[in-house]
Amino acid sequence: MKLSFRWYGESDSISLRNIRQIPNMHSIVTAVYDVSVGEVWPMESILRLKELTEKEGLHFEVIESIPVHEDIKLGRPTRDRYIENYCENIRRCAQAGIKCICYNFMPVFDWTRTQLDKLNEDGSTCLVYYQDQVDKVDPTKSDSDLTLPGWDASYTREELASLVNEYRELGEEKLWDNLKYFLEKVIPVCKEVDVNMAIHPDDPCWPIFGLPRIITGEKNMDRFLKLVDDTHNGLTLCLGSFGCSKDNDLVKMAAKYAKMGRVHFLHFRNVLVLEDGFEESGHLSKFGSLDMYEICKALYENGFEGYVRPDHGRQIWGEKAKPGYGLYDRALGATYFNGLWEAIEKEKK
Ligand code: DNO
């Protein structure tokens, strides 16, 4: 297990020095942010991130994310050029020492929430998702004024509508085909340079706005891992993403996929599952719906050796930071994880 922390590069309000001071911190999780999706990352930009990270005594081993261009997900004729670029990015990252790349295959939208600053009773704020609010939004209705936080502002409303319609027509099975096509090109490169790909689950792990979503739970994960049956084709076990559906048994999934050697990255966070949505809670088991101890134990017992990062924290102590990505609560999450891990390690010896 290697503890890591997401850092948004030089524009992040959180310094590498502060991250370094979190006990047991090993690696930085970052990306090149100023290149358009689908293009090749300049080697200098990758090496700059490496240099800054290593200057603070941290390791530069995890990328989150190299985003997948929509043309690849849609299987458009232009996809081959973007896949070639993707492979080139993998090679470049490997050359700089990267061991693990997190990415997702969600159509149009990455993680979706209805509010980023829901006030909790103790004065902290958190991210929430209420299904009834999502159901009121239709991205194909160009006269709708409703938008959600995290909405991709790079599309005009018309572009967004046509993209969403294209995916609705594509449907799940074709999305699977396009994912397979992508993996068949990318995983051989990963084998060559020994980099693990770690797909991030859909968040939330069910279809939204009528868009197909396929990385949603155990059955589909099994199917995914077989698309290209190689250890380099693995997953990011994002507890909050899979955990927001009661259908997912995270302890079972953690054990099963760790045993297969396919969990390359763990996103450690908790969610409180509601009747019709979820709220992101503090990391401890008792505040959410997930048993963090049992999940960690399942990972440990099944030989998990990947990277772990504390994921989304609440906003606490008056900190003003990127929603979910403040320093304080994520640092508390890391410390809680360290405690659980030490206890499990000692119990098992
Ligand atoms: C949210 C993150 C996701 C994740 C991507 C991976 O906080 O976990 O945005 O980075 O889905 O590609």
Side-chain angles (χ1 to χ4, degrees):
M1 177 283 288
K2 295 181 202 79
L3 187 63
S4 63
F5 205 84
R6 192 172 196 181
W7 179 65
Y8 282 95
E10 288 174 88
S11 64
D12 198 322
S13 60
I14 298 162
S15 68
L16 286 169
R17 176 56 58 95
N18 280 349
I19 296 171
R20 174 189 198 171
Q21 290 168 358
I22 300 168
N24 201 29
M25 196 45 67
H26 179 275
S27 320
I28 281 301
V29 176
T30 190
V32 172
Y33 290 102
D34 57 358
V35 174
S36 311
V37 174
E39 299 307 326
V40 174
W41 291 358
M43 200 63 212
E44 313 84 79
S45 308
I46 303 171
L47 291 175
R48 168 96 185 135
L49 291 168
K50 180 181 170 73
E51 183 195 321
L52 291 168
T53 302
E54 291 180 348
K55 213 154 79 195
E56 280 300 347
L58 294 160
H59 294 83
F60 180 67
E61 294 178 4
V62 189
I63 293 292
E64 179 174 348
S65 313
I66 305 182
V68 179
H69 196 276
E70 300 298 336
D71 288 12
I72 299 177
K73 291 182 259 180
L74 282 163
R76 284 176 175 156
T78 39
R79 69 177 150 179
D80 288 325
R81 177 176 100 76
Y82 291 115
I83 295 179
E84 267 168 46
N85 289 352
Y86 205 98
C87 292
E88 179 58 20
N89 279 332
I90 295 172
R91 287 195 194 92
R92 290 183 180 202
C93 287
Q95 207 183 318
I98 290 298
K99 309 262 180 274
C100 175
I101 296 171
C102 172
Y103 69 105
N104 73 72
F105 216 74
M106 283 178 254
V108 197
F109 304 100
D110 192 340
W111 55 285
T112 301
R113 300 290 181 271
T114 50
Q115 195 188 338
L116 302 177
D117 58 353
K118 191 225 154 204
L119 188 61
N120 295 317
E121 228 177 296
D122 63 2
S124 63
T125 62
C126 71
L127 286 75
V128 297
Y129 178 100
Y130 302 132
Q131 191 65 45
D132 60 332
Q133 292 179 14
V134 174
D135 292 343
K136 285 188 202 132
V137 181
D138 184 345
T140 63
K141 298 265 158 37
S142 55
D143 56 348
S144 157
D145 285 333
L146 289 167
T147 56
L148 293 177
W151 206 265
D152 190 335
S154 65
Y155 297 113
T156 64
R157 204 164 259 288
E158 289 67 32
E159 282 167 348
L160 190 65
S162 94
L163 197 56
V164 168
N165 279 327
E166 231 180 300
Y167 274 108
R168 285 179 181 171
E169 273 164 43
L170 185 81
E172 277 188 22
E173 282 309 311
K174 295 241 171 60
L175 188 61
W176 277 111
D177 291 347
N178 297 342
L179 177 53
K180 186 168 188 324
Y181 184 93
F182 170 71
L183 292 172
E184 280 172 347
K185 302 263 157 112
V186 156
I187 298 299
V189 177
C190 292
K191 278 169 84 169
E192 202 180 288
V193 296
D194 199 18
V195 163
N196 288 324
M197 290 294 279
I199 199 165
H200 189 284
D202 301 345
D203 181 6
C205 55
W206 52 76
I208 51 166
F209 311 129
L211 294 163
R213 286 203 173 204
I214 54 179
I215 307 300
T216 49
E218 187 179 345
K219 193 164 146 251
N220 286 14
M221 265 327 296
D222 289 348
R223 177 170 175 183
F224 166 79
L225 293 174
K226 284 195 199 108
L227 291 179
V228 173
D229 203 358
D230 185 285
T231 51
H232 296 91
N233 179 32
L235 82 134
T236 297
L237 188 69
C238 176
L239 302 182
S241 304
F242 280 133
C244 61
S245 163
K246 283 195 174 130
D247 296 339
N248 286 328
D249 178 344
L250 263 301
V251 180
K252 182 172 172 226
M253 290 168 79
K256 175 171 171 180
Y257 300 126
K259 194 167 188 178
M260 291 167 72
R262 304 295 270 274
V263 184
H264 300 313
F265 196 14
L266 170 68
H267 283 182
F268 184 78
R269 74 178 160 90
N270 204 348
V271 275
L272 182 66
V273 180
L274 310 170
E275 268 317 301
D276 205 20
F278 58 90
E279 297 176 350
E280 296 192 0
S281 61
H283 292 83
L284 272 70
S285 305
K286 74 185 216 188
F287 297 117
S289 302
L290 304 179
D291 190 328
M292 307 302 268
Y293 168 73
E294 289 296 342
I295 292 167
C296 288
K297 194 147 77 74
L299 287 167
Y300 182 89
E301 284 171 349
N302 289 285
F304 170 67
E305 282 180 347
Y307 298 87
V308 49
R309 71 168 179 82
D311 201 4
H312 299 187
R314 301 158 304 144
Q315 212 85 276
I316 61 170
W317 304 336
E319 186 180 17
K320 298 265 171 291
K322 206 173 163 59
Y325 285 96
L327 172 66
Y328 304 144
D329 204 35
R330 281 190 299 153
L332 293 180
T335 291
Y336 169 53
F337 177 83
N338 280 330
L340 284 177
W341 205 257
E342 179 181 330
I344 293 164
E345 248 169 4
K346 289 194 170 158
E347 260 169 34
K348 299 283 158 194
K349 269 186 192 145

